[in-house]
């Protein structure tokens, strides 16, 4: 069921809702009501902050307390969420803080179906952040539970009298629906999302969204076309690979982008089999392709003035009698030969084919997104993705876009001296280096080999952020997170504004 979101200007005190969400800051003398909460606090005769204090609330970010209103306001409960210290000098609470707070509040709503959001929303930007965080925090994946579905909130009432909030709310909805699509794809068990299934979903998305064209290459077309990387990785599986191409165009566009997403629907490692503890979450190895498809859906809805093509490189990496062997040599799309020394370094093989193919669209910028290396997690942890690029300016543009989109990323180098580790004794290049240090960077350098001189290119390694194996936090659930979706949308918008 989908959630209806409307913007209202009435006081939250008189609203017919099941809960009112308010924010409070961590003040020197305890919790202080944030803008939006003051009416409610007044209705409690200033007692809300006191009640929160008694409950041990400090106002730290994402702390949540539910307080019975006992008639002080019309809604039966207040969900109070911490926003951290009040911004200094009368500044505004940041979009990211608001999204995380709204997400945490929605996760605590229980089965309250109509929720009013009275968080700070004095600008369209803040209103969008509140709405987006609420819609993302209310996500649940229960397609496989027999106990019945956890219903999404029926109605969200966003309290704001700022200008432009209608448009902000629409934008938040478009982004949230898309990010939640990426999460669903990642969460779906791999038996139900083999490459053909993923391509089928992409076709459905293209059919439903206006202005998306789609074309799918099946295993025969891939073999005929010389896509050695995708075929090599997919050949061990009973479920054949696919390469999906989506395109979006705008009549006033002056630039074009290509997105490429890694879509390994399950990564067993192949014959270089992963240990069980590293394999049990490898349904998430299509998080890059999920983010790319989700971003295309959002872009079709938001219609920035830019042309975008997207490639989903879909394969299942399995061990079998037909699987590629360590030491096999593949001829990639475009003719480069690769010695496969480790079949678990499969992502770069499917990505290389798709990156070479993307050049044929003559884009001004290629951005690839992949759950590419465990080394990304070692370097940056589970919440920050790595950004590498062919030049400093492109890398900075992508990091800036991620920050603007509310996603954590960090620039990483592509040191040329690591390239020689990929020298092969029989082919043009090997798929792994003898040395494991700097594994995220080596993988980036491998991909760089398939980017033409003069082509602007950035590479996002989202291995950690795409899947949350820990507790939920802010608006991030367990499992698929939809990481990089909003960054890709922002990159497209930034190109359109250029
Ligand atoms: N899909 C994995 C990377 C990964 C690890 C993603 C953990 C998400 C979480 C990738 O295909 C892989 O197996 N990479 C190897 C490369 C190595 C063999 C050079 C790795 O990182 O161990
Ligand atoms: Mn692998
Ligand atoms: Zn993989």
């Amino acid at each position: 069921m989908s959630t209806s979101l409307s913007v209202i200007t009435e006081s939250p005190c008189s609203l017919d809702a099941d809960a009112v969400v308010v924010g409070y800051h961590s003040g020197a003398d305890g919790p202080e009501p944030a803008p939006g909460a003051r009416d409610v606090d007044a209705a409690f005769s200033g007692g809300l902050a006191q009640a929160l204090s008694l409950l041990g609330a400090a106002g730290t970010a994402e702390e949540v307390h539910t307080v019975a209103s006992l008639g002080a306001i019309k809604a039966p409960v207040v969900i109070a969420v911490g926003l951290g210290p009040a911004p200094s000098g009368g500044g505004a609470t940041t979009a990211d803080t608001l999204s995380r707070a709204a997400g945490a509040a929605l996760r605590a709503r229980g089965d309250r179906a109509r929720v009013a959001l009275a968080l700070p929303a004095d600008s369209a930007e803040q209103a969008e952040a509140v709405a987006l965080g609420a819609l993302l925090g209310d996500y649940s994946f229960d397609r496989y539970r027999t106990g019945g579905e956890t219903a999404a909130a029926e109605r969200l009432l966003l309290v704001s009298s700022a200008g432009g909030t209608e448009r902000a709310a629409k934008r938040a909805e478009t982004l949230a629906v898309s990010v939640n699509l990426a999460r669903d794809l990642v969460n779906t068990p791999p038996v139900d999302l083999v490459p053909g299934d993923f391509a089928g979903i992409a076709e459905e998305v293209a059919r439903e969204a206006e202005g998306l064209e789609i074309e799918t290459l099946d295993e025969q077309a891939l073999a005929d076309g010389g896509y050695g990387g995708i075929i090599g990785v997919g050949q061990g599986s009973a479920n054949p690979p696919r390469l999906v191409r989506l395109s979006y165009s705008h009549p006033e566009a002056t630039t074009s982008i290509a997105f490429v997403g890694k879509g390994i629907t399950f990564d067993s490692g192949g014959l270089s089999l992963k240990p069980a503890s590293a394999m049990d979450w490898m349904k998430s190895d299509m998080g890059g392709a999920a983010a790319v498809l989700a971003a295309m859906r959002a872009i079709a809805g938001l219609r920035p003035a830019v042309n975008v093509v997207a490639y989903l490189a879909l394969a299942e990496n399995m061990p079998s009698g037909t699987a590629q062997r360590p030491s096999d040599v593949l001829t990639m799309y475009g003719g480069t030969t690769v010695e496969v020394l480790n079949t678990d370094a499969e992502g770069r093989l499917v990505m290389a084919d798709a990156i070479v193919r993307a050049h044929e669209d003559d884009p001004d910028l290629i951005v690839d997104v992949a759950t590419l290396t465990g080394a990304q997690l070692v370097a940056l942890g589970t919440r920050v993705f790595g950004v590498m690029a062919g030049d400093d300016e492109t890398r900075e543009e992508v990091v800036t876009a991620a920050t603007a989109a509310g996603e954590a990323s960090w620039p990483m180098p592509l040191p040329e001296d690591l390239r020689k580790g990929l020298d092969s004794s029989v082919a043009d290049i090997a798929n792994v280096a003898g040395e494991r240090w700097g594994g995220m960077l080596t993988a980036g350098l491998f991909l760089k080999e398939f980017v033409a001189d003069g082509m602007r290119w950035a590479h996002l390694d989202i291995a950690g952020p795409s899947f949350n194996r820990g507790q939920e936090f802010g608006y991030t659930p367990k499992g698929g997170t939809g990481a990089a979706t909003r960054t890709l949308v922002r990159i497209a918008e930034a190109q359109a504004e250029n």
Side-chain angles (χ1 to χ4, degrees), residues 262 264 267-270 274 282 285 317 342-347 372:
K262 172 177 171 181
I264 300 298
D267 182 12
S268 70
K274 284 183 185 296
M282 280 303 124
D285 210 19
N317 189 24
N342 187 323
T343 63
D344 197 13
E346 84 299 336
L372 206 59

Side-chain angles (χ1 to χ4, degrees), residues 96-444:
D96 194 44
T97 302
L98 291 171
S99 292
R100 285 163 49 200
L106 264 284
R107 283 195 291 102
R109 78 178 167 85
D111 55 9
R112 297 179 184 94
R114 297 164 309 158
V115 179
L117 298 156
L119 287 163
D122 297 329
S123 65
E125 193 204 355
Q126 284 192 324
E128 180 185 323
V130 170
L132 179 62
L135 292 167
L136 291 177
D138 201 33
Y139 173 82
S140 68
F141 183 74
D142 33 38
R143 208 178 289 165
Y144 291 84
R145 292 195 197 280
T146 54
E149 302 225 331
T150 327
E154 249 161 62
R155 225 169 140 56
L156 293 179
L157 301 164
L158 175 61
V159 184
S160 174
S161 36
T165 49
E166 288 299 332
R167 195 165 160 269
K170 268 252 98 42
R171 191 182 144 78
E173 264 180 333
T174 303
L175 288 171
V177 165
S178 298
V179 172
N180 288 339
L181 164 68
R183 293 169 169 183
D184 279 349
L185 286 164
V186 170
N187 289 332
T188 301
V191 66
D192 289 335
L193 194 80
V194 302
D197 297 321
F198 198 136
I201 291 172
E203 271 150 27
E204 251 172 65
V205 167
R207 208 172 320 121
E208 279 163 22
E210 242 159 90
L212 285 185
E213 304 278 316
I214 186 164
E215 185 191 337
T216 301
L217 300 186
D218 64 10
E219 69 272 32
Q220 193 58 54
L222 288 166
D224 294 346
Y227 292 84
I230 298 174
I231 291 289
V233 172
Q235 75 189 29
S237 171
N239 305 301
R242 296 284 184 270
L243 178 64
V244 174
R245 177 183 184 275
L246 292 140
S247 66
Y248 158 84
S249 54
H250 190 283
E252 279 136 49
T254 55
T255 54
S256 66
I257 325 174
F259 293 145
V260 179
K262 172 177 171 181
I264 300 298
T265 59
F266 185 71
D267 182 12
S268 70
L271 287 175
S272 311
L273 197 66
K274 284 183 185 296
S277 61
M279 205 193 290
D280 64 11
W281 43 311
M282 280 303 124
K283 68 172 184 181
S284 64
D285 210 19
M286 29 56 70
V292 167
L293 176 61
M296 290 304 277
R297 177 180 176 155
I299 288 166
L302 298 168
R303 298 209 54 77
V306 57
N307 294 332
V308 190
V309 294
Y311 290 90
L312 316 177
L314 306 169
E316 186 179 40
N317 189 24
M318 295 293 261
S320 77
T322 61
Q324 61 177 345
R325 308 152 191 81
S327 76
D328 275 352
V329 173
L330 302 174
T331 301
M332 310 291 282
Y333 189 68
T336 302
T337 58
V338 177
E339 184 184 15
V340 180
L341 288 174
N342 187 323
T343 63
D344 197 13
E346 84 299 336
R348 60 197 76 184
L349 300 174
V350 301
M351 293 298 280
D353 271 357
I355 288 171
V356 173
R357 173 64 181 81
H359 283 69
E360 291 172 16
D361 295 297
D362 201 21
D364 298 299
L365 169 66
I366 296 176
V367 179
D368 83 68
V369 190
T371 49
L372 206 59
T373 64
Q376 184 279 324
L377 281 129
V378 176
L380 294 172
T382 56
R383 297 191 187 181
V384 180
F385 61 78
V387 180
M388 287 141 275
D391 62 280
D392 296 350
E393 198 186 316
T394 303
R395 192 184 58 234
E396 287 312 319
E397 271 176 40
V398 170
V399 172
T400 301
T403 307
E407 297 198 279
S409 70
W410 204 253
M412 295 306 259
L414 291 173
E416 268 312 316
D417 63 287
L418 289 180
R419 167 61 185 84
K420 63 180 178 302
L422 292 168
D423 284 346
S424 161
S425 50
V426 294
D428 298 339
I429 189 170
N431 77 327
V432 289
E435 178 178 294
R436 58 187 273 264
W437 311 122
M440 164 170 49
L441 318 179
T442 317

